[in-house]
């Protein structure tokens, strides 16, 4: 008997970095991969995984889920690390403390938040290290106005403090404050470049949608990379680009070829979700995105917004209330092709934009399982990765399994590893790497969550280990398992 804790025996082990794709045993000990080989000696826990794929757990760069219940849905989708990088959090120390105190089924980590730092510096809204603060004030014009130099200095100093505290980068929700000076955006990028941290941008409006925008959202990201040397990550290029994805990706390609560090991510759904009070959902602005009020479904009641008056009312009474937004039609071949293009674009990674659960009635037990039907979300929360693997490996993406998996694990880990050396041990299935592992049926892996039934867990995911501990076993959630650890940067 070996000294290992367990062996996953006889699975098809895929590691996109080394190119390994073969039948192997995988031994786990003390939270790490201890050995990969043929005919490994027995261990106390033996798990037969013949016929299944064994690979690194999925690394989600874009998860707004910050509670146990929602993260369980992500674990059931193969996610072993869920990071809040686009909105970010501030103070990050408070966010890390809160997650550690509650316990997490998967690994967690946070960027600092330009929007929250700005809300504080410009509008006096005190951040508490939660997304709730952002959503509650999402539509408040007070934080979106142009800032005075002293206010910019104050928000930059808050971001710098968080970066020194281990924040993974800077989240920049500039698309929610479309009138902010482009000079301020460049100052944030300059700070990121100096700190050696990536930025994660929800882009401003594109010029095709808003001819009067202060700067084209795609040009702004690319320009900041070229001008400051910062690593600019372009969040959900699918949803903010809509039917202009080809133009945006061509721009990104040119910048990359010229040496700028611009990376992209996408999620495989046509509909978006955000707080109904967002600036770009104002009734008079819907037409810019080809929307009408009934293109929005308000999650707390499930109602399709009936008209302009109702939209105004909801924006006034519950600006942070989440709404589904019908941007692209997945049943329309041309829209579907655009979505696939955003996912198959070279180097683009899969990221879910997973949303917090909306409770249509108070939960009887916030960590009860299974989730009651009173919890709703965007299906991307529960299904992004299984859906992406299905579409990219088996469906119209035609990438094959190793390349599809690269976009879900290795790609996101590599994107962060300069600032976060701990990410060098994630996204890979190799000896000495963290035992964050997903085991799935390659023929059966698929999402089951839909717009109408948004919390159905994915299918075909047989086992998920986080730091060597099962959080999903034989397709079932392990209720008591909270093995997630903090992922932090090592500041320069
Ligand atoms: Zn976003």
């Amino acid at each position: 008997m070996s000294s290992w804790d367990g062996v996953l025996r006889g699975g098809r082990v895929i590691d996109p970095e080394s190119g390994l794709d073969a039948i192997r045993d995988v031994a786990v000990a003390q939270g790490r991969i201890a050995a990969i080989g043929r005919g490994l000696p027995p261990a106390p826990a033996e798990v037969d995984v013949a016929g299944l794929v064994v690979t690194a757990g999925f690394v989600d760069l874009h998860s707004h889920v910050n509670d146990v219940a929602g993260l369980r849905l992500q674990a059931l989708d193969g996610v072993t690390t869920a990071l809040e990088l686009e909105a970010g959090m501030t103070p990050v120390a408070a966010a890390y403390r809160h997650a550690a105190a509650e316990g997490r089924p998967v690994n967690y980590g946070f960027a600092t938040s330009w929007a929250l730092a700005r809300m504080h510096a410009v509008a006096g809204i005190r951040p508490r290290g939660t997304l709730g603060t952002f959503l509650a004030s999402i539509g408040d014009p007070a934080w979106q106005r142009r800032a005075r130099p002293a206010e910019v200095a104050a928000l930059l100093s808050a971001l710098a403090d968080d970066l020194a505290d281990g924040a993974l980068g800077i989240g920049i929700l500039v698309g929610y404050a479309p009138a902010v000076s482009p000079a301020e955006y460049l100052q944030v990028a300059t700070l990121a470049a100096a700190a050696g941290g990536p930025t994660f941008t929800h882009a401003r409006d594109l010029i095709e949608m808003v001819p009067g925008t202060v700067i084209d959202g795609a040009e702004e990201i690319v320009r900041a990379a070229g001008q400051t040397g910062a690593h600019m990550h372009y969040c959900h290029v699918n949803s903010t680009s809509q039917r202009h994805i080809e133009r945006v990706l061509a721009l990104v390609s040119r910048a990359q070829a010229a040496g700028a560090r611009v990376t992209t991510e996408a999620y495989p759904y046509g509909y978006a979700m955000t707080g109904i009070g967002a600036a770009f959902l104002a009734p008079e602005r819907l037409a810019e995105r080809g929307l009408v009020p009934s293109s929005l479904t308000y999650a707390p009641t499930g109602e399709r917004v009936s008209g302009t008056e109702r939209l105004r009312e909801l924006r006034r009474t519950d600006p942070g209330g989440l709404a589904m937004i019908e941007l692209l039609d997945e049943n329309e071949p041309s829209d579907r092709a655009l979505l696939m293009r955003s996912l198959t674009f070279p180097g683009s990674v899969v990221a879910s934009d997973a949303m917090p659960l909306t409770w249509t009635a108070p939960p009887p037990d916030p960590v009860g399982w299974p989730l009651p039907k009173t919890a709703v979300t965007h299906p991307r929360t529960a299904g992004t990765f299984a859906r992406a693997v299905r579409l990219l490996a088996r469906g119209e993406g035609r990438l094959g399994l190793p390349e599809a998996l690269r976009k879900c694990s290795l790609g996101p880990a590599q994107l962060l590893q300069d600032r976060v050396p701990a990410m060098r041990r994630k996204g890979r299935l190799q000896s000495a790497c963290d035992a964050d592992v997903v085991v799935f049926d390659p023929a059966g892996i698929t999402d089951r969550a839909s717009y109408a039934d948004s919390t159905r867990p994915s299918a075909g995911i047989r086992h998920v280990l986080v730091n060597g501990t099962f959080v999903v076993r034989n397709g079932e959630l392990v209720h008591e398992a909270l093995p997630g650890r903090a992922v932090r940067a090592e500041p320069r």
Side-chain angles (χ1 to χ4, degrees), residues 370-387:
L371 280 178
K373 286 290 168 204
T374 47
V376 296
T377 182
H378 189 294
R380 68 194 183 200
T381 307
T384 287
F385 287 87
R387 184 182 179 89

PDB file of all heavy atoms in Angstrom, residues 370-387:
ATOM      1  N   PRO A 370     -30.893  19.983  -2.041  1.00  0.00           N
ATOM      2  CA  PRO A 370     -30.750  20.769  -3.266  1.00  0.00           C
ATOM      3  C   PRO A 370     -31.392  22.150  -3.157  1.00  0.00           C
ATOM      4  O   PRO A 370     -32.199  22.396  -2.273  1.00  0.00           O
ATOM      5  CB  PRO A 370     -31.476  19.910  -4.305  1.00  0.00           C
ATOM      6  CG  PRO A 370     -32.425  19.072  -3.531  1.00  0.00           C
ATOM      7  CD  PRO A 370     -31.800  18.835  -2.197  1.00  0.00           C
ATOM      8  N   LEU A 371     -31.004  23.007  -4.097  1.00  0.00           N
ATOM      9  CA  LEU A 371     -31.538  24.360  -4.106  1.00  0.00           C
ATOM     10  C   LEU A 371     -33.040  24.310  -4.327  1.00  0.00           C
ATOM     11  O   LEU A 371     -33.512  23.601  -5.203  1.00  0.00           O
ATOM     12  CB  LEU A 371     -30.924  25.149  -5.264  1.00  0.00           C
ATOM     13  CG  LEU A 371     -29.540  25.738  -5.090  1.00  0.00           C
ATOM     14  CD1 LEU A 371     -29.137  26.436  -6.390  1.00  0.00           C
ATOM     15  CD2 LEU A 371     -29.497  26.707  -3.926  1.00  0.00           C
ATOM     16  N   PRO A 372     -33.783  25.090  -3.553  1.00  0.00           N
ATOM     17  CA  PRO A 372     -35.214  25.172  -3.846  1.00  0.00           C
ATOM     18  C   PRO A 372     -35.468  25.934  -5.151  1.00  0.00           C
ATOM     19  O   PRO A 372     -34.596  26.667  -5.631  1.00  0.00           O
ATOM     20  CB  PRO A 372     -35.775  25.953  -2.649  1.00  0.00           C
ATOM     21  CG  PRO A 372     -34.621  26.615  -1.992  1.00  0.00           C
ATOM     22  CD  PRO A 372     -33.367  25.905  -2.404  1.00  0.00           C
ATOM     23  N   LYS A 373     -36.638  25.743  -5.738  1.00  0.00           N
ATOM     24  CA  LYS A 373     -36.971  26.391  -7.014  1.00  0.00           C
ATOM     25  C   LYS A 373     -37.105  27.907  -6.877  1.00  0.00           C
ATOM     26  O   LYS A 373     -37.264  28.620  -7.874  1.00  0.00           O
ATOM     27  CB  LYS A 373     -38.278  25.801  -7.565  1.00  0.00           C
ATOM     28  CG  LYS A 373     -38.094  24.404  -8.127  1.00  0.00           C
ATOM     29  CD  LYS A 373     -37.272  24.443  -9.425  1.00  0.00           C
ATOM     30  CE  LYS A 373     -36.826  23.045  -9.832  1.00  0.00           C
ATOM     31  NZ  LYS A 373     -35.632  23.061 -10.691  1.00  0.00           N
ATOM     32  N   THR A 374     -37.074  28.399  -5.632  1.00  0.00           N
ATOM     33  CA  THR A 374     -37.165  29.846  -5.432  1.00  0.00           C
ATOM     34  C   THR A 374     -35.823  30.540  -5.699  1.00  0.00           C
ATOM     35  O   THR A 374     -35.741  31.750  -5.601  1.00  0.00           O
ATOM     36  CB  THR A 374     -37.626  30.148  -3.997  1.00  0.00           C
ATOM     37  OG1 THR A 374     -36.850  29.355  -3.098  1.00  0.00           O
ATOM     38  CG2 THR A 374     -39.098  29.819  -3.829  1.00  0.00           C
ATOM     39  N   ALA A 375     -34.781  29.756  -6.010  1.00  0.00           N
ATOM     40  CA  ALA A 375     -33.493  30.351  -6.392  1.00  0.00           C
ATOM     41  C   ALA A 375     -33.420  30.405  -7.913  1.00  0.00           C
ATOM     42  O   ALA A 375     -33.630  29.386  -8.582  1.00  0.00           O
ATOM     43  CB  ALA A 375     -32.340  29.527  -5.844  1.00  0.00           C
ATOM     44  N   VAL A 376     -33.136  31.578  -8.452  1.00  0.00           N
ATOM     45  CA  VAL A 376     -32.981  31.698  -9.903  1.00  0.00           C
ATOM     46  C   VAL A 376     -31.683  32.446 -10.213  1.00  0.00           C
ATOM     47  O   VAL A 376     -31.166  33.190  -9.385  1.00  0.00           O
ATOM     48  CB  VAL A 376     -34.181  32.424 -10.569  1.00  0.00           C
ATOM     49  CG1 VAL A 376     -35.456  31.617 -10.406  1.00  0.00           C
ATOM     50  CG2 VAL A 376     -34.367  33.818 -10.003  1.00  0.00           C
ATOM     51  N   THR A 377     -31.179  32.211 -11.416  1.00  0.00           N
ATOM     52  CA  THR A 377     -29.946  32.871 -11.835  1.00  0.00           C
ATOM     53  C   THR A 377     -29.891  32.818 -13.356  1.00  0.00           C
ATOM     54  O   THR A 377     -30.865  32.431 -14.013  1.00  0.00           O
ATOM     55  CB  THR A 377     -28.714  32.187 -11.188  1.00  0.00           C
ATOM     56  OG1 THR A 377     -27.534  32.881 -11.574  1.00  0.00           O
ATOM     57  CG2 THR A 377     -28.593  30.718 -11.596  1.00  0.00           C
ATOM     58  N   HIS A 378     -28.774  33.247 -13.917  1.00  0.00           N
ATOM     59  CA  HIS A 378     -28.551  33.050 -15.346  1.00  0.00           C
ATOM     60  C   HIS A 378     -28.039  31.611 -15.512  1.00  0.00           C
ATOM     61  O   HIS A 378     -27.220  31.163 -14.696  1.00  0.00           O
ATOM     62  CB  HIS A 378     -27.503  34.054 -15.824  1.00  0.00           C
ATOM     63  CG  HIS A 378     -27.319  34.107 -17.312  1.00  0.00           C
ATOM     64  ND1 HIS A 378     -26.807  33.044 -18.037  1.00  0.00           N
ATOM     65  CD2 HIS A 378     -27.564  35.082 -18.219  1.00  0.00           C
ATOM     66  CE1 HIS A 378     -26.748  33.373 -19.323  1.00  0.00           C
ATOM     67  NE2 HIS A 378     -27.205  34.611 -19.460  1.00  0.00           N
ATOM     68  N   PRO A 379     -28.484  30.880 -16.546  1.00  0.00           N
ATOM     69  CA  PRO A 379     -28.011  29.499 -16.682  1.00  0.00           C
ATOM     70  C   PRO A 379     -26.489  29.392 -16.792  1.00  0.00           C
ATOM     71  O   PRO A 379     -25.923  28.324 -16.517  1.00  0.00           O
ATOM     72  CB  PRO A 379     -28.705  28.995 -17.961  1.00  0.00           C
ATOM     73  CG  PRO A 379     -29.220  30.209 -18.661  1.00  0.00           C
ATOM     74  CD  PRO A 379     -29.461  31.235 -17.584  1.00  0.00           C
ATOM     75  N   ARG A 380     -25.817  30.473 -17.151  1.00  0.00           N
ATOM     76  CA  ARG A 380     -24.350  30.424 -17.256  1.00  0.00           C
ATOM     77  C   ARG A 380     -23.707  30.095 -15.896  1.00  0.00           C
ATOM     78  O   ARG A 380     -22.597  29.571 -15.847  1.00  0.00           O
ATOM     79  CB  ARG A 380     -23.805  31.748 -17.801  1.00  0.00           C
ATOM     80  CG  ARG A 380     -23.956  32.935 -16.880  1.00  0.00           C
ATOM     81  CD  ARG A 380     -23.706  34.255 -17.627  1.00  0.00           C
ATOM     82  NE  ARG A 380     -23.796  35.392 -16.714  1.00  0.00           N
ATOM     83  CZ  ARG A 380     -24.015  36.647 -17.096  1.00  0.00           C
ATOM     84  NH1 ARG A 380     -24.205  36.938 -18.390  1.00  0.00           N
ATOM     85  NH2 ARG A 380     -24.052  37.629 -16.233  1.00  0.00           N
ATOM     86  N   THR A 381     -24.392  30.440 -14.805  1.00  0.00           N
ATOM     87  CA  THR A 381     -23.859  30.159 -13.470  1.00  0.00           C
ATOM     88  C   THR A 381     -23.664  28.658 -13.294  1.00  0.00           C
ATOM     89  O   THR A 381     -22.654  28.207 -12.761  1.00  0.00           O
ATOM     90  CB  THR A 381     -24.840  30.678 -12.402  1.00  0.00           C
ATOM     91  OG1 THR A 381     -25.121  32.056 -12.674  1.00  0.00           O
ATOM     92  CG2 THR A 381     -24.284  30.523 -10.995  1.00  0.00           C
ATOM     93  N   ALA A 382     -24.644  27.884 -13.750  1.00  0.00           N
ATOM     94  CA  ALA A 382     -24.636  26.432 -13.532  1.00  0.00           C
ATOM     95  C   ALA A 382     -24.055  25.654 -14.705  1.00  0.00           C
ATOM     96  O   ALA A 382     -23.637  24.510 -14.530  1.00  0.00           O
ATOM     97  CB  ALA A 382     -26.060  25.947 -13.263  1.00  0.00           C
ATOM     98  N   GLY A 383     -24.016  26.260 -15.896  1.00  0.00           N
ATOM     99  CA  GLY A 383     -23.751  25.432 -17.074  1.00  0.00           C
ATOM    100  C   GLY A 383     -22.636  25.838 -18.010  1.00  0.00           C
ATOM    101  O   GLY A 383     -22.363  25.129 -18.985  1.00  0.00           O
ATOM    102  N   THR A 384     -21.966  26.969 -17.743  1.00  0.00           N
ATOM    103  CA  THR A 384     -21.009  27.487 -18.731  1.00  0.00           C
ATOM    104  C   THR A 384     -19.967  26.464 -19.187  1.00  0.00           C
ATOM    105  O   THR A 384     -19.725  26.294 -20.388  1.00  0.00           O
ATOM    106  CB  THR A 384     -20.275  28.720 -18.174  1.00  0.00           C
ATOM    107  OG1 THR A 384     -21.203  29.819 -18.159  1.00  0.00           O
ATOM    108  CG2 THR A 384     -19.076  29.102 -19.036  1.00  0.00           C
ATOM    109  N   PHE A 385     -19.328  25.781 -18.242  1.00  0.00           N
ATOM    110  CA  PHE A 385     -18.168  24.973 -18.615  1.00  0.00           C
ATOM    111  C   PHE A 385     -18.563  23.672 -19.315  1.00  0.00           C
ATOM    112  O   PHE A 385     -17.955  23.297 -20.319  1.00  0.00           O
ATOM    113  CB  PHE A 385     -17.254  24.764 -17.409  1.00  0.00           C
ATOM    114  CG  PHE A 385     -16.509  26.032 -17.061  1.00  0.00           C
ATOM    115  CD1 PHE A 385     -17.075  26.978 -16.213  1.00  0.00           C
ATOM    116  CD2 PHE A 385     -15.286  26.306 -17.639  1.00  0.00           C
ATOM    117  CE1 PHE A 385     -16.415  28.169 -15.922  1.00  0.00           C
ATOM    118  CE2 PHE A 385     -14.617  27.495 -17.367  1.00  0.00           C
ATOM    119  CZ  PHE A 385     -15.184  28.430 -16.509  1.00  0.00           C
ATOM    120  N   ALA A 386     -19.600  23.014 -18.795  1.00  0.00           N
ATOM    121  CA  ALA A 386     -20.046  21.788 -19.473  1.00  0.00           C
ATOM    122  C   ALA A 386     -20.549  22.133 -20.876  1.00  0.00           C
ATOM    123  O   ALA A 386     -20.327  21.396 -21.837  1.00  0.00           O
ATOM    124  CB  ALA A 386     -21.142  21.104 -18.657  1.00  0.00           C
ATOM    125  N   ARG A 387     -21.229  23.259 -20.983  1.00  0.00           N
ATOM    126  CA  ARG A 387     -21.735  23.685 -22.291  1.00  0.00           C
ATOM    127  C   ARG A 387     -20.586  24.019 -23.239  1.00  0.00           C
ATOM    128  O   ARG A 387     -20.597  23.633 -24.415  1.00  0.00           O
ATOM    129  CB  ARG A 387     -22.638  24.909 -22.090  1.00  0.00           C
ATOM    130  CG  ARG A 387     -23.325  25.444 -23.330  1.00  0.00           C
ATOM    131  CD  ARG A 387     -24.112  26.680 -22.880  1.00  0.00           C
ATOM    132  NE  ARG A 387     -24.829  27.383 -23.917  1.00  0.00           N
ATOM    133  CZ  ARG A 387     -26.081  27.114 -24.291  1.00  0.00           C
ATOM    134  NH1 ARG A 387     -26.737  26.128 -23.745  1.00  0.00           N
ATOM    135  NH2 ARG A 387     -26.672  27.845 -25.210  1.00  0.00           N
TER     136      ARG A 387
END
